Amino acid sequence: MNSPTSTPTNAPTTYFEHGTAAERWERALLFFDAKEYATAAAILDPLAGETPDQLAPRLLLARAYYHSAQLSRAERELRAILERWPVEDYAQLMLGRTLERQGRADEARPHLRMAAAMAGEFPEH
């Protein structure tokens, strides 16, 4: 039996999970803008799962993971984004930066080059 202060097993653990998808999106944006990246990621993870065809929640989730130093999660999300949207230059850039931050510069280089080329930035010789 649950005490008055305990949370029932099937109830959301926080208010973050309440509301419509649009309300949760707005809540995630507020936390992201406040630099509360781990909280934003906690809100965005289930939201991105509910809307796999929408790029914005998935990209913001990857950014929240990156900024909260959840780099393997950021990498996994960015690779999934690029599998679905291969011409997403910002995801290429973020994946490159994520790999660099993990000390994997050789793996990062092609992604960073691709992002630059997609953005129209070509090295001058």
Side-chain angles (χ1 to χ4, degrees), residues 53-91:
D53 294 341
Q54 292 184 12
L55 176 61
R58 297 189 73 182
L59 201 50
L60 191 61
L61 174 59
R63 291 177 63 201
Y65 283 149
Y66 177 86
H67 289 300
S68 61
Q70 298 179 62
L71 300 179
S72 61
R73 288 181 176 173
E75 178 184 351
R76 186 172 49 247
E77 190 62 34
L78 290 163
R79 288 189 187 280
I81 288 168
L82 288 169
E83 188 174 302
R84 188 169 191 125
W85 294 280
V87 296
E88 179 52 50
D89 63 323
Y90 188 67

Side-chain angles (χ1 to χ4, degrees), residues 1-14 17-18:
M1 185 169 133
N2 292 325
S3 69
T5 57
S6 70
T7 304
T9 358
N10 61 349
T13 55
T14 64
E17 299 165 343
H18 292 281

